[in-house]
């Protein structure tokens, strides 16, 4: 495990309950807010995975929880169209890929 990731797991972030609250409440709200910002502007980016990536650094369960909670939160915010829930699988795939990259120390790129 890289030193950067290890240093993230100290202090307040070492508390399991804090990480659970972060992954289940705070990061999904940030993802939903970024998604609403993108929908209101013509910016062609998908910023609603930033919180999922952050949570995945702390562990796979946290990333999966954030991905699921983000898309379940999006449903009532957009009037329950049923279009956001299936995208939780995409968010979970993002969490899985980021978690694997951190776990295998493949976070360094030539760029």
């Amino acid at each position: 495990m890289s030193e950067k990731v290890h240093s993230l797991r100290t202090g307040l972030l070492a508390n399991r309950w804090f990480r659970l609250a972060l992954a289940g409440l705070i990061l999904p709200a940030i993802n939903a807010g970024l998604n609403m910002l993108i929908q209101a502007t013509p910016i062609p980016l998908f910023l609603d995975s930033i919180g999922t990536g952050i949570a995945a650094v702390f562990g796979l369960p946290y990333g999966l929880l954030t991905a699921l909670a983000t898309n379940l939160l999006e449903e009532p915010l957009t009037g329950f169209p049923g279009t956001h829930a299936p995208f939780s699988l995409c968010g979970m795939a993002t969490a899985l890929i980021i978690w694997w990259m951190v776990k295998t120390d493949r976070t360094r790129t030539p760029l």
Side-chain angles (χ1 to χ4, degrees):
M1 183 180 308
S2 69
E3 285 185 35
K4 288 181 183 179
V5 173
H6 181 68
S7 66
L8 285 174
R9 294 185 179 186
T10 59
L12 185 58
L13 293 176
N15 185 326
R16 182 180 191 187
W17 292 106
F18 179 76
R19 287 190 310 224
L20 190 60
L22 188 69
L25 301 171
I26 299 167
L27 292 173
I30 290 171
N31 280 348
L34 289 172
N35 192 25
M36 290 190 317
L37 174 72
I38 293 305
Q39 289 178 356
T41 61
I43 302 171
L45 296 174
F46 297 102
L47 297 178
D48 58 344
S49 295
I50 291 177
T52 304
I54 293 170
V57 169
F58 299 122
L60 184 58
Y62 300 110
L64 295 176
L65 174 63
T66 301
L68 181 63
T70 296
N71 289 289
L72 292 179
L73 176 64
E74 288 287 333
E75 284 294 328
L77 291 177
T78 56
F80 293 101
T83 58
H84 294 282
F87 281 101
S88 61
L89 294 175
C90 297
M92 289 179 179
T94 300
L96 182 65
I97 291 166
I98 292 173
W99 169 78
W100 175 78
M101 287 179 67
V102 169
K103 186 169 177 72
T104 59
D105 200 27
R106 294 175 192 247
T107 56
R108 298 183 195 149
T109 64
L111 301 175

